[in-house]
Amino acid sequence: YLSRHNRKLYVLSNELQAESRFRRLLMDTLPDLVWIKDPDGLYLGSNERFGQFFGAPEHDIVGKSDFDFVDAPLAEHFRKYDQRAAEKGSSITVEELVRFASDGHQELLETVKTPVFGDSGELIGVLGIGRDITERRRVEEQIRYLSQAVEQSPVLVVITDTEPKIQYVNRAFEVTSGYSEDEALGQNPNFLSAGETPATTYEELWSALRDGKSWEGELRNRKKNGELYWESAHIAPIVDASGETTHYLGIKVDVTEQKQQSEKILYQARFDQLTELPNRLASLERLAQMIAHDRRRGGLTAVLFVDLDDFKKVNDTLGHGTGDKLLNKTAGRLRDSLRTEDTVGRLGGDEFIVLLGGLELTSDAIAVHPDDGNSVGDLLRKADAAMYQAKNKGRADYSLFTSQLNVELQRRVTLEQQMIGALKRGEVAVFYQPQIDLRNGRTVSVEALLRWDSPKLGSISPVDFIPIAERNGMIDALGLFVLEEALQWVSRWRREIDPDFRVAVNLSPRQFRSRTLLEDIDGAIQRAGVPPQALELEITEGVLMLEHARVDETLGHLVERGISLSLDDFGTGYSSLSYLRNYPFDSLKIDRSFTSDITDDPADRELVVAIITMARSLELRIIAEGVETSEQETILKQFDCDLGQGYLYSRPVPPEHIGPEISS
C-alpha cells in the first residue's frame, strides 16, 4: 500500500512540476511585463521581460522592493498605485513612461494592477501586467492629427462602404453641400447629383473602381438649397491587408468659382469685351466651319470687311467714351441687319468682319468662297485687298474683289517681301528737292525724300512703299537712314553753299512712337558735326494725333535742342489751326493741292492768301509745295510767301546735283 501511495505522490509531484514549468515558460514567453508583490511591496516573482526593465534576473528581484532598483520618486509612484489597487479591491489601469535598465530604451506601458486575495479574503499581494503601448499611442496620435486635419481641411472628404453608402463626411462637406453629417450618413452619394453629369462619366468611374483603380474627374452636383456646383473629385478604393476593397474614399474640391472664371476667360478670349461680338479668333474659327460646310454641301460663303472712316477723329475730338458708343451702335446695326445664320465680329479697333453663308450670287459680297479663295487666309487677304481699294477710291465707298485686285494684292505682297533687306542691299537712296528763296532765287534748303529702285520691281513710288514700311515697322530703320544721310550732306552744303543751309526730313507717326527718337536724332547730329539748327523736321497731323502728353514732351525737347519744326501739308487736316496755336512750329507748308489751282481758282487763291496772312501773324516761315509754273510763283511772291518747292525749280535729285542756284 505504502509503495502505491509513494508512486502516486511521485506522479503528482512530477505533474505539479510540469505544470509549474509550463506556467513559468508561459510567463517568460509573454511580451508583457509580469510581476507580483506582497502587501509590503516586496517582489514575490517576475518574468524575464520584467527583469529587462530592472536589468536583473528574477532571483535578484525576489524579496526586494522598487526602492532597490529605481530612484525614490519613481519607487513612490509605483507604490502609490499598488496601494490604490489594494484599497479599491479591483484592477486599475495606469499609463507610465519607463526607461529599461537593460539597454536604456523607453516604452510607454499600460499597466494593469490587480489585488490578489487569499481563500479567507485577506490581501496576499498585487499582480502587475505591463504592456508596451508606445506604437499604439503613436498610431492613435497620428489618427488624431489626421482626423483633425480632415475635419479642418477645406477639401470635402467622403468615405462610403462598397454598397455604396456614406459612412463618414467631414465638416467641409457639410459647409459646401448644406447637408449635415446625420443627413448624409447611410445615403448613396448620388443623392447629390444634379442630373447634369453625363452617364458615361459614372460608367467610367465605376469601371475604374471595380478594377481597383482610382478615378479623377468633374461632377455636377446640387446643394441642399438647390444651388448647382462643380466638384473636382478623386475617388479611390480602400483595401484591407488581404487586398480586398472595404470602402471608397472620395476627396473633392468645389471648383465652381474656378469653372466660372475659366468660362469668363474663355469668353474674353473669344469675344470682344466692348461690343460682345466674336473677336478675330472666334470669327476666323466660324469662317473655317462655314468653308468646311460649303465643301460638304455646296453653296457660297462671303467675307466682308467693314471699316469706319476717320474713326480716330471721333476719339480725338469727342473722347473715347463717345467712340465706344459709336462702336457699340455700329455693332448693333450690323448684327440687326444679318440673318441668324450669319456672323458679325470685331477684328479690332474700328474694323469689323461679316460672314455670310448660303449665298447664291457672288455679287452679294466682297470676297467669296470658293470663287475667290479656298482657305481662311485667302479670303481674308482678298477681302483686305477690296477694303484697301475702297479706301483708295476716296472712302465712304465699297469695293468687290476682282482679278485686278488680285494682281494688286500680289504686288503688295511682293513689295513687302522685297522690302526686307532692301536697305542692306543698297537699293534705297535719298534724293533732295530744293526749296527756293522766292526773293532771290537761291537754294537755301532741301527736303530729303526716300527713293527705292528694286532690281526686280524697278523704281517704286514712295506712295506705294512708305505705307508698307509704316505697317511692318521698317520705317524706323529707313527713317534713321534718311536722317544720317541728310545730315552728312547738309554738313557739306553748309561749307560749300551757305553756312545757314538746312535740310528738312519727314518724321512719320510710327517713328514718333519710338522711345529712342531723341537719342537717334542727337547721335546723327553729332556724327555729322552740324548744329541742330541745320535740321528741320516736317511733321504731319498724324503725329499730333498720337498721345498728346508724349507729343508735347517730345516736341518740347526738339525745340530745346534748336531743331526747327514744320507742319507739313497744311490745310488738308481738320484741326490744323489749333495745332499752330498749341505747338512750337517754325514754319508751315502749303499743300500742293492748293498751290496748283491758285492761278485758276479764286477760292484756292483766297485760301492761300489767308494761310500766308495767318502764318505771318504767327511769325512762321511759309513754304509752298507743288510750284510748277511761273504764274504760280508770281502770285506767291505777290503775297509774300517765303519759299517755293516744286518742279518749276527741280525734281528730287541726287545730292551731287544740289547747288546754290536752280534755273527754271
Side-chain angles (χ1 to χ4, degrees):
Y1 170 78
L2 183 58
S3 177
R4 283 199 308 272
H5 178 71
N6 287 339
R7 283 198 298 272
K8 288 181 179 180
L9 289 176
Y10 178 76
V11 171
L12 179 61
S13 173
N14 285 341
E15 290 176 351
L16 290 174
Q17 290 177 8
E19 182 178 350
S20 176
R21 286 195 299 273
F22 176 76
R23 289 175 179 173
R24 180 80 241 179
L25 179 62
L26 179 62
M27 284 182 59
D28 288 339
T29 304
L30 287 174
D32 300 335
L33 286 73
V34 181
W35 69 93
I36 187 168
K37 300 177 186 176
D38 66 13
D40 295 325
L42 299 178
Y43 283 98
L44 300 176
S46 66
N47 68 349
E48 288 185 4
R49 177 79 169 121
F50 183 82
Q52 294 174 5
F53 170 52
F54 278 158
E58 182 185 20
H59 61 79
D60 285 342
I61 296 174
V62 172
K64 297 179 181 177
S65 71
D66 293 321
F67 291 92
D68 294 312
F69 297 99
V70 297
D71 56 26
L74 185 57
E76 290 287 353
H77 173 79
F78 291 159
R79 181 62 178 162
K80 178 179 67 174
Y81 285 105
D82 291 343
Q83 292 173 345
R84 183 172 298 176
E87 292 170 358
K88 184 178 179 182
S90 61
S91 298
I92 65 170
T93 302
V94 182
E95 288 188 7
E96 299 168 316
L97 182 64
V98 298
R99 182 182 299 277
F100 281 70
S102 59
D103 58 10
H105 81 277
Q106 289 190 136
E107 290 182 6
L108 180 64
L109 297 181
E110 181 182 72
T111 303
V112 178
K113 299 193 175 187
T114 305
V116 180
F117 299 95
D119 294 338
S120 59
E122 76 279 11
L123 178 70
I124 61 175
V126 176
L127 173 66
I129 301 176
R131 174 163 297 172
D132 180 9
I133 61 169
T134 306
E135 181 62 19
R136 189 180 84 189
R137 279 289 179 266
R138 187 186 67 79
V139 173
E140 289 175 350
E141 190 72 6
Q142 285 184 336
I143 293 174
R144 185 175 68 84
Y145 288 146
L146 179 60
S147 176
Q148 289 181 355
V150 170
E151 281 301 310
Q152 297 174 18
S153 171
V155 176
L156 287 68
V157 178
V158 179
I159 298 176
T160 73
D161 58 22
T162 55
E163 289 192 26
K165 290 184 178 180
I166 295 176
Q167 303 291 305
Y168 169 83
V169 296
N170 69 342
R171 176 60 181 160
F173 173 91
E174 295 179 307
V175 171
T176 299
S177 71
Y179 290 98
S180 67
E181 182 180 22
D182 291 340
E183 291 173 315
L185 294 181
Q187 295 263 31
N188 187 304
N190 66 9
F191 85 100
L192 295 168
S193 176
E196 297 186 10
T197 302
T200 53
T201 299
Y202 291 114
E203 292 171 2
E204 293 171 359
L205 186 160
W206 283 109
S207 176
L209 294 181
R210 282 192 295 270
D211 291 342
K213 301 176 182 177
S214 61
W215 175 88
E216 289 185 358
E218 290 185 345
L219 303 173
R220 185 69 159 157
N221 287 341
R222 188 184 304 277
K223 299 181 181 181
K224 186 177 181 179
N225 63 6
E227 180 183 342
L228 298 180
Y229 69 104
W230 283 98
E231 280 185 344
S232 176
H234 177 95
I235 302 175
I238 300 175
V239 298
D240 59 18
S242 64
E244 291 295 321
T245 299
T246 61
H247 295 81
Y248 296 116
L249 169 66
I251 300 175
K252 307 178 180 183
V253 178
D254 182 354
V255 294
T256 306
E257 185 175 343
Q258 294 93 314
K259 289 280 286 187
Q260 292 172 344
Q261 187 65 24
S262 296
E263 291 172 358
K264 181 179 179 181
I265 292 173
L266 181 60
Y267 179 86
Q268 292 174 341
R270 298 177 58 81
F271 288 86
D272 176 56
Q273 299 304 295
L274 175 63
T275 63
E276 298 186 353
L277 294 177
N279 61 12
R280 183 181 185 87
L281 173 64
S283 297
L284 299 191
E285 287 179 354
R286 173 60 179 152
L287 177 56
Q289 294 168 1
M290 295 171 74
I291 291 175
H293 182 274
D294 285 349
R295 288 172 179 165
R296 292 194 305 270
R297 302 185 182 181
L300 301 175
T301 294
V303 178
L304 291 79
F305 276 8
V306 180
D307 184 271
L308 303 185
D309 289 339
D310 289 333
F311 173 74
K312 185 168 176 46
K313 293 179 181 178
V314 177
N315 282 338
D316 289 342
T317 58
L318 302 177
H320 288 275
T322 300
D324 289 347
K325 291 179 181 179
L326 176 58
L327 290 173
N328 264 320
K329 194 73 172 179
T330 302
R333 289 184 178 180
L334 288 172
R335 190 166 40 220
D336 294 343
S337 65
L338 300 179
R339 304 165 299 173
T340 55
E341 63 266 33
D342 299 329
T343 298
V344 57
R346 185 183 178 200
L347 297 179
D350 60 350
E351 297 179 350
F352 297 86
I353 186 172
V354 177
L355 309 177
L356 308 176
L359 299 182
E360 297 181 0
L361 299 175
T362 59
S363 60
D364 291 337
I366 289 175
V368 179
H369 168 271
D371 295 2
D372 296 327
N374 289 311
S375 69
V376 171
D378 283 345
L379 291 175
L380 292 180
R381 282 192 297 272
K382 292 173 181 179
D384 185 57
M387 170 69 72
Y388 187 82
Q389 176 69 13
K391 289 184 177 181
N392 283 345
K393 288 163 62 176
R395 302 178 181 268
D397 206 336
Y398 71 92
S399 178
L400 303 180
F401 181 79
T402 64
S403 58
Q404 179 58 35
L405 282 183
N406 192 38
V407 173
E408 295 176 5
L409 174 61
Q410 291 301 321
R411 176 172 170 77
R412 286 174 55 197
V413 172
T414 304
L415 280 176
E416 290 189 20
Q417 293 173 343
Q418 291 299 310
M419 184 174 291
I420 299 173
L423 183 60
K424 291 183 179 179
R425 295 192 298 267
E427 297 174 7
V428 296
V430 182
F431 278 36
Y432 302 87
Q433 188 169 33
Q435 295 176 338
I436 308 303
D437 188 332
L438 296 180
R439 291 183 296 271
N440 56 31
R442 292 181 62 83
T443 302
V444 295
S445 57
V446 293
E447 179 181 2
L449 300 168
L450 190 62
R451 293 293 183 263
W452 179 20
D453 190 9
S454 169
K456 182 175 182 179
L457 302 175
S459 180
I460 303 165
S461 169
V463 174
D464 293 329
F465 73 81
I466 291 296
I468 295 175
E470 290 180 337
R471 285 198 301 272
N472 65 21
M474 289 188 62
I475 195 66
D476 292 328
L478 292 173
L480 184 58
F481 169 74
V482 173
L483 188 65
E484 294 277 3
E485 286 285 308
L487 287 173
Q488 291 294 330
W489 275 101
V490 82
S491 175
R492 174 176 172 178
W493 293 325
R494 289 173 75 88
R495 294 193 303 270
E496 297 177 354
I497 300 175
D498 186 338
D500 294 326
F501 202 89
R502 298 197 300 182
V503 63
V505 176
N506 291 279
L507 199 64
S508 76
R510 177 64 183 258
Q511 288 175 269
F512 213 85
R513 295 190 184 99
S514 173
R515 297 189 179 278
T516 63
L517 175 62
L518 293 174
E519 179 182 339
D520 292 340
I521 293 173
D522 289 342
I525 290 174
Q526 291 174 6
R527 285 186 288 274
V530 296
Q533 292 76 13
L535 174 64
E536 182 171 77
L537 294 177
E538 293 191 1
I539 299 171
T540 64
E541 289 183 10
V543 170
L544 305 177
M545 291 168 65
L546 300 174
E547 305 171 24
H548 293 295
R550 188 171 173 185
V551 168
D552 291 345
E553 181 181 356
T554 304
L555 291 180
H557 287 311
L558 291 172
V559 172
E560 289 174 1
R561 286 163 166 76
I563 297 171
S564 299
L565 300 178
S566 175
L567 181 59
D568 197 9
D569 298 335
F570 183 81
T572 60
Y574 65 96
S575 58
S576 298
L577 185 57
S578 66
Y579 290 151
L580 287 176
R581 291 199 310 266
N582 297 329
Y583 293 100
F585 288 103
D586 299 281
S587 61
L588 63 82
K589 299 186 75 172
I590 301 173
D591 187 69
R592 67 183 65 251
S593 62
F594 301 119
T595 305
S596 62
D597 292 331
I598 59 175
T599 58
D600 303 318
D601 190 334
D604 278 357
R605 187 163 55 251
E606 292 300 323
L607 180 58
V608 170
V609 172
I611 292 174
I612 294 174
T613 302
M614 177 189 62
R616 285 280 175 238
S617 67
L618 296 174
E619 298 181 351
L620 299 177
R621 184 172 60 255
I622 307 105
I623 307 169
E625 291 184 311
V627 181
E628 297 182 356
T629 68
S630 299
E631 291 79 6
Q632 294 169 349
E633 181 187 52
T634 299
I635 294 174
L636 292 171
K637 288 181 178 180
Q638 178 184 349
F639 296 118
D640 202 20
C641 180
D642 295 307
L643 303 178
Q645 177 180 344
Y647 286 179
L648 175 63
Y649 311 110
S650 173
R651 292 176 178 272
V653 295
E656 297 85 357
H657 294 185
I658 298 298
E661 295 182 0
I662 296 294
S663 172
S664 61

